[in-house]
C-alpha cells in the first residue's frame, strides 16, 4: 500500500499453483537477470488485445464470446506472458474455479440476461484481499500460507454480486510495502519479483505492482489494487494505466490485509477512465463492519460513468501544485504539455497553487502508520481464528527471522519491529501525530488552497519514469504527489500523460473528499483529448532513443 517511505522525497510520496507459495526468493534474482535477455512479446495474435469492458460485454451479447471463452483466452495469455515469455510474474495465483464460475455466469446470461456491465468480465484482485475459496490470501508473505479467511472481503462480495469472473490474485510488494524502509517494490516472498512490461529491468512500483503490470499487459480486463500512500496511483503511472484511489470510506476495507485504517482503501486499476469508473461503481458501498463507509451515504454513485464528459474540462478551475514538480526534467516537460492541453480544452489554471508544509507530513504520517499497522494487523489476524499460521505482528516478525533465506534475502523488517514497539491507539504520540496529519493535509493543505482559489481540483505529476529494479539498494523514486491526498483520505486519479524514453508517466487529479465525480469528469476529458495510453512492448530495457 504505501510507497517506499525511505526513498520518497518529502513532497511525494497454472491454474492452481501458478507461482505457488514455494517459489523461493532465488527466482526473483533469476527473473531480474533474465530480463536483459528477453525478447519483446508479440501481441498481434491476441484476440482481446486492449479490449474494454464495453467491448467485451458487446461481444458476449452478440455471441462472439462467452464468459468462459474470455476466461480461457486470458488464462492462456497469463500463462504465456506471466509464466513464460517475458515472465512478468504479476499474478501470484490463478483461480482454479475461474472456468466453472464463467460457466455459471454464461448459463445465467442465457436464462435471465446480464446482471450489469461486469457480468462475465474476467478481473484480477490483489493478494491482500480475502477470498473464501480455493485461492490463498497472503499479502505475498509465506507467513500467511495456509490461512483461511472466514468469508470474502466485502468488496469481493460486491464483485461477485456484479457477476465478475475472478481470474486470480496479483503479486504485490510484500505486506503492501510496509515491512522495510529500503524494500524493492514488486517483490514478495511468495510471488517473487514482478517486472514492468514497458522495460523488464524497470520497477513496476508498489505495492499494487502485479495489478498494474497485469492490466498494462492485457492479462485481464481490469484489476483491483489497494493504497495507503501511492500504491494504486504509483503502479498505475509506472505501468501506463488509469488508477483511482477513492476517498477513504467509499470502498469497504473489511477483509483486506491492513496497514492503516486512516489511509487504507481499495481502488480500480484499468486501461481507461471509463473502465475504472465502471469498476468503482461496483466497489463502492456501505458496510456495517467498516464504520468509515457510513460517511459515504449520499456520496457514492452506482454508476460513475454518468460523469464521463469529453468536454469536462471546459469551465473547470484547476490548481497547479507546483511544489510537486521539479524533480525530473523529462517529467516536467510532459507536465507542461499536459497543462497546455488543460487550457486548450477550456480549463482555467491557477499556477502556482502550492500545498504548504508538505515537508512536515512525512514524520507524523510514518508514526500513524506504525501505530495503526500493529493495531489493525493484529485485529485482522484475529479474524482468521486460532488455526491461522500466525496470530500477531510479533509472530510474523518471528516467522520472518526463522525463514530469513526465503523472506528476507534482500531487505529486512525494520518497520515491523518499530511498529511492534508502539503502544495502543490511545497513546498521546499517536493522537498528536494523527491530528497533525489532518491539519497539514486537510485544514491547512488541500481544503485551504481549494477554498482560497475556489478550485475544482489540483494537478501534479503522479511520479517520474520508474527506476531500475535494484534488489541491493531498494527503490529510488524522485518525487510525486501521492502523499497529500493519501494522508488526508481524499480521492486521487492518475491518467497516462506520455512517456519518457518509452516509460509511462501519469498526470494526477486530486481534490476534496467525495469529489470522485469531478475528478472522473476532468480525467476523462484529458484522456480523450490526448489518448496517451500506449501498450507495452516488453522491452529488455528502456529505449533511450524513444520519445
Amino acid at each position: 500500500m504505501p510507497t517506499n517511505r525511505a526513498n520518497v522525497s518529502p513532497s511525494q510520496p497454472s491454474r492452481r499453483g501458478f507461482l505457488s507459495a514455494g517459489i523461493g526468493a532465488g527466482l526473483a534474482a533469476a527473473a531480474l537477470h533474465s530480463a536483459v535477455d528477453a525478447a519483446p512479446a508479440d501481441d498481434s495474435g491476441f484476440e482481446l488485445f486492449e479490449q474494454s469492458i464495453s467491448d467485451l460485454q458487446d461481444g458476449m451479447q452478440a455471441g462472439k464470446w462467452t464468459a468462459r471463452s474470455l476466461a480461457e483466452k486470458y488464462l492462456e495469455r497469463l500463462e504465456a506472458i506471466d509464466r513464460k515469455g517475458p515472465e512478468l510474474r504479476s499474478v501470484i495465483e490463478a483461480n482454479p474455479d475461474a472456468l466453472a464460475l464463467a460457466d455459471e455466469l454464461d448459463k445465467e446470461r442465457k436464462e435471465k440476461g446480464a446482471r450489469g456491465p461486469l457480468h462475465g468480465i474476467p478481473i484480477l484482485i490483489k493478494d491482500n484481499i480475502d477470498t473464501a475459496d480455493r485461492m490463498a490470501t497472503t499479502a505475498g508473505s509465506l507467513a500467511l500460507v495456509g490461512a483461511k479467511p472466514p468469508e470474502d472481503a466485502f468488496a469481493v462480495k460486491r464483485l461477485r454480486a456484479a457477476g465478475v469472473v475472478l481470474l486470480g490474485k496479483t503479486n504485490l510488494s510484500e505486506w503492501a510495502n510496509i515491512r522495510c524502509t529500503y524494500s524493492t517494490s514488486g517483490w514478495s516472498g511468495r510471488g517473487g519479483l514482478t517486472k514492468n512490461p514497458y522495460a523488464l529491468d524497470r520497477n513496476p512500483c508498489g505495492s499494487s505492482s502485479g495489478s498494474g503490470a497485469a492490466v498494462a499487459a492485457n492479462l485481464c480486463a481490469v484489476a483491483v489494487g489497494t493504497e495507503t500512500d501511492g500504491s494504486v496511483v504509483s503502479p498505475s503511472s509506472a505501468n501506463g494505466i488509469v488508477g483511482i484511489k477513492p476517498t477513504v470510506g467509499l470502498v469497504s476495507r473489511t477483509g483486506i490485509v491492513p496497514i492503516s485504517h486512516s489511509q487504507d482503501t481499495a481502488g480500480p486499476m484499468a486501461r481507461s477512465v471509463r473502465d475504472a469508473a465502471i469498476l468503482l461503481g461496483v466497489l463502492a458501498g456501505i458496510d456495517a463492519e467498516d464504520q468509515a463507509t457510513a460517511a459515504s451515504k449520499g456520496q457514492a454513485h452506482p454508476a460513475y460513468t454518468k460523469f464521463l464528459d469529453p468536454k469536462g474540462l471546459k469551465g473547470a478551475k484547476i490548481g497547479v501544485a507546483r511544489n510537486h514538480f521539479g524533480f525530473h526534467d523529462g517529467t516536467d516537460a510532459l507536465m507542461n504539455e499536459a497543462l497546455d492541453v488543460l487550457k486548450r480544452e477550456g480549463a482555467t489554471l491557477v499556477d502556482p497553487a502550492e500545498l504548504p508544509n508538505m515537508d512536515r507530513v512525512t514524520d507524523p504520517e510514518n508514526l500513524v502508520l506504525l501505530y495503526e499497522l500493529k493495531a489493525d494487523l493484529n485485529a485482522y489476524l484475529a479474524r482468521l481464528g486460532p488455526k491461522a499460521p500466525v496470530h500477531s505482528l510479533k509472530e510474523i516478525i518471528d516467522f520472518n527471522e526463522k525463514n530469513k533465506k526465503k523472506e528476507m534475502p534482500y531487505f529486512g523488517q525494520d518497520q515491523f519491529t518499530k511498529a511492534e514497539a508502539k503502544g495502543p491507539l490511545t497513546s498521546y504520540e499517536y493522537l498528536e501525530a494523527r491530528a497533525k496529519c489532518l491539519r497539514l493535509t486537510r485544514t491547512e493543505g488541500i481544503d485551504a488552497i481549494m477554498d482560497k482559489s475556489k478550485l475544482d481540483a489540483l494537478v501534479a505529476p503522479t511520479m517520474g519514469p520508474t527506476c531500475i529494479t535494484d534488489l541491493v539498494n531498494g527503490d529510488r523514486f524522485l518525487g510525486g504527489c501521492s502523499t497529500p491526498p493519501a494522508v488526508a483520505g481524499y480521492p486521487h486519479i492518475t491518467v497516462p500523460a506520455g512517456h519518457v524514453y518509452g516509460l509511462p508517466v501519469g498526470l494526477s487529479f486530486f481534490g476534496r473528499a467525495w469529489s470522485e465525480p469531478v475528478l472522473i469528469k476532468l480525467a476523462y476529458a484529458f484522456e480523450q483529448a490526448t489518448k496517451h495510453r500506449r501498450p507495452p512492448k516488453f522491452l529488455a530495457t528502456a529505449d533511450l532513443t524513444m520519445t
Side-chain angles (χ1 to χ4, degrees):
M1 292 182 188
T3 51
N4 191 335
R5 306 301 310 165
N7 298 297
V8 178
S9 68
S11 65
Q12 181 186 345
S14 115
R15 325 306 194 232
R16 181 66 175 179
F18 182 87
L19 293 185
S20 64
I23 186 172
L27 288 180
L32 179 60
H33 294 313
S34 69
V36 297
D37 300 320
D42 182 6
D43 284 319
S44 59
F46 183 51
E47 187 178 354
L48 306 181
F49 186 66
E50 294 291 289
Q51 296 291 293
S52 69
I53 289 173
S54 297
D55 293 334
L56 299 177
Q57 203 61 251
D58 290 346
M60 285 189 284
Q61 191 65 30
K64 180 180 180 181
W65 298 310
T66 62
R68 183 185 179 94
S69 70
L70 292 180
E72 287 176 335
K73 292 176 191 298
Y74 278 123
L75 287 170
E76 289 170 3
R77 168 83 170 176
L78 190 154
E79 182 74 19
I81 299 295
D82 223 55
R83 182 73 169 181
K84 302 174 183 176
E87 290 186 86
L88 282 188
R89 300 195 179 277
S90 65
V91 178
I92 206 167
E93 181 176 9
N95 187 357
D97 299 317
L99 298 183
L101 289 171
D103 287 340
E104 292 175 7
L105 290 163
D106 283 333
K107 181 180 178 182
E108 181 180 328
R109 182 187 290 271
K110 286 182 180 180
E111 294 175 350
K112 301 178 182 178
R115 299 182 193 181
L118 287 183
H119 188 110
I121 301 295
I123 77 165
L124 290 165
I125 64 173
K126 191 175 176 180
D127 181 40
N128 61 350
I129 303 174
D130 284 352
T131 53
D133 54 15
R134 291 198 287 163
M135 289 190 290
T137 304
T138 67
S141 173
L142 299 175
L144 281 183
V145 171
K148 298 292 182 184
E151 58 182 335
D152 284 339
F154 185 83
V156 172
K157 292 177 182 178
R158 292 189 63 82
L159 290 169
R160 291 195 197 275
V164 306
V165 176
L166 289 181
L167 207 60
K169 298 279 189 80
T170 55
N171 199 11
L172 69 159
S173 308
E174 187 178 303
W175 295 110
N177 227 6
I178 191 63
R179 199 185 82 189
C180 182
T181 53
Y182 54 93
S183 63
T184 297
S185 291
W187 184 91
S188 72
R190 181 176 174 231
L193 180 67
T194 302
K195 292 182 285 189
N196 189 303
Y198 286 85
L200 300 173
D201 62 348
R202 294 270 164 173
N203 198 266
C205 292
S207 67
S208 304
S209 321
S211 295
V215 170
N218 283 269
L219 303 188
C220 58
V222 290
V224 179
T226 65
E227 174 164 328
T228 303
D229 185 342
S231 288
V232 165
V233 295
S234 294
S236 294
S237 176
N239 289 280
I241 62 172
V242 174
I244 301 179
K245 195 287 290 187
T247 304
V248 171
L250 186 64
V251 178
S252 169
R253 288 82 53 86
T254 302
I256 298 178
V257 182
I259 291 176
S260 161
H261 61 265
S262 294
Q263 295 180 208
D264 288 354
T265 181
M269 301 172 73
R271 289 182 292 274
S272 69
V273 175
R274 178 178 293 276
D275 282 359
I278 291 171
L279 183 54
L280 181 62
V282 169
L283 291 172
I286 296 175
D287 171 19
E289 289 192 61
D290 185 349
Q291 294 181 356
T293 63
S296 70
K297 185 177 182 180
Q299 303 286 353
H301 299 270
Y304 283 92
T305 50
K306 67 183 179 182
F307 302 108
L308 301 175
D309 180 359
K311 301 298 183 182
L313 284 164
K314 189 173 183 179
K317 194 173 184 183
I318 299 173
V320 181
R322 279 287 175 188
N323 53 328
H324 294 279
F325 289 62
F327 55 84
H328 186 266
D329 288 346
T331 300
D332 281 346
L334 286 184
M335 292 302 107
N336 288 330
E337 291 175 8
L339 297 179
D340 288 341
V341 171
L342 299 181
K343 289 187 287 187
R344 186 189 73 206
E345 294 298 310
T348 298
L349 301 186
V350 176
D351 187 3
E354 296 190 350
L355 292 167
N357 301 318
M358 288 303 105
D359 58 336
R360 298 169 56 198
V361 175
T362 300
D363 289 342
E365 180 194 12
N366 196 49
L367 267 178
V368 168
L369 297 189
L370 293 175
Y371 272 96
E372 293 188 359
L373 171 65
K374 181 180 179 180
D376 296 353
L377 186 53
N378 284 345
Y380 170 85
L381 294 171
R383 287 172 55 92
L384 299 180
K387 294 184 179 179
V390 288
H391 307 90
S392 66
L393 176 59
K394 178 62 168 62
E395 290 187 16
I396 293 170
I397 292 170
D398 292 343
F399 176 92
N400 291 340
E401 287 294 338
K402 292 175 183 176
N403 296 274
K404 278 186 176 181
K405 288 185 178 180
K406 292 182 178 180
E407 274 294 346
M408 298 193 295
Y410 308 116
F411 53 88
Q413 54 180 342
D414 63 303
Q415 289 287 82
F416 271 13
T417 57
K418 289 175 185 176
E420 177 59 27
K422 293 301 179 185
L425 298 183
T426 55
S427 302
Y428 175 77
E429 182 184 47
Y430 164 74
L431 296 173
E432 182 185 43
R434 181 59 183 151
K436 188 173 184 179
C437 283
L438 293 178
R439 176 171 57 84
L440 292 174
T441 61
R442 290 184 182 181
T443 312
E444 299 176 4
I446 294 172
D447 292 340
I449 191 64
M450 293 190 73
D451 287 342
K452 177 182 177 182
S453 300
K454 295 181 173 56
L455 302 176
D456 295 301
L458 290 152
V459 294
T462 311
M463 56 177 284
T466 188
C467 63
I468 290 176
T469 296
D470 186 347
L471 290 166
V472 176
N473 297 308
D475 297 334
R476 181 177 183 266
F477 298 117
L478 300 177
C481 67
S482 69
T483 294
V487 176
Y490 288 178
H492 181 175
I493 300 178
T494 181
V495 183
H499 301 78
V500 176
Y501 299 122
L503 301 173
V505 173
L507 174 68
S508 284
F509 296 82
F510 58 97
R512 304 178 188 274
W514 317 114
S515 63
E516 284 85 355
V518 174
L519 301 183
I520 286 170
K521 180 178 71 171
L522 300 176
Y524 180 74
F526 175 78
E527 175 194 58
Q528 294 305 298
T530 57
K531 297 190 182 297
H532 280 303
R533 161 69 186 166
R534 184 191 300 170
K537 295 183 178 179
F538 308 94
L539 300 178
T541 191
D543 185 347
L544 300 185
T545 67
M546 294 178 68
T547 58

